[in-house]
Amino acid sequence: MSYRIYRPIEGITINGKEFICEDDGEVKLFDSIDLAKSWLKEQDPTIDVDAEDLMDANGLDIEEDEQ
């Protein structure tokens, strides 16, 4: 199972999702939610990765990859 990080386009949930991508444009996948949270914390130490609701606290979320 893989996980991906996203946020709503323009912060509006009905607009779809923008995903964190690799340099080649492919969606960046993580082997676990904890690895995704660690990556987020490395990118921005102010992100509260322990928030009960990541979307509410940070405007982004982690979901299971749909492959």
Side-chain angles (χ1 to χ4, degrees), residues 2 5 9 22-23 30 34 36 38 42 46 48 50 54 63:
S2 297
I5 301 168
I9 297 170
E22 301 282 0
D23 291 338
F30 301 88
D34 286 339
S38 292
E42 286 175 23
T46 66
D48 181 7
D50 297 320
L54 279 174
E63 68 180 13

Side-chain angles (χ1 to χ4, degrees), residues 55-66:
M55 183 62 74
D56 189 42
N58 304 295
L60 51 85
D61 209 351
I62 300 168
E63 68 180 13
E64 190 176 315
D65 185 41
E66 299 172 349

Side-chain angles (χ1 to χ4, degrees), residues 5 35-50:
I5 301 168
L35 287 173
K37 287 180 176 182
S38 292
W39 184 88
L40 280 171
K41 200 65 168 174
E42 286 175 23
Q43 305 310 304
D44 184 351
T46 66
I47 292 177
D48 181 7
V49 296
D50 297 320

Side-chain angles (χ1 to χ4, degrees), residues 22-35:
E22 301 282 0
D23 291 338
D24 64 3
E26 292 294 316
V27 173
K28 186 170 186 66
L29 299 176
F30 301 88
D31 292 333
S32 70
I33 291 174
D34 286 339
L35 287 173

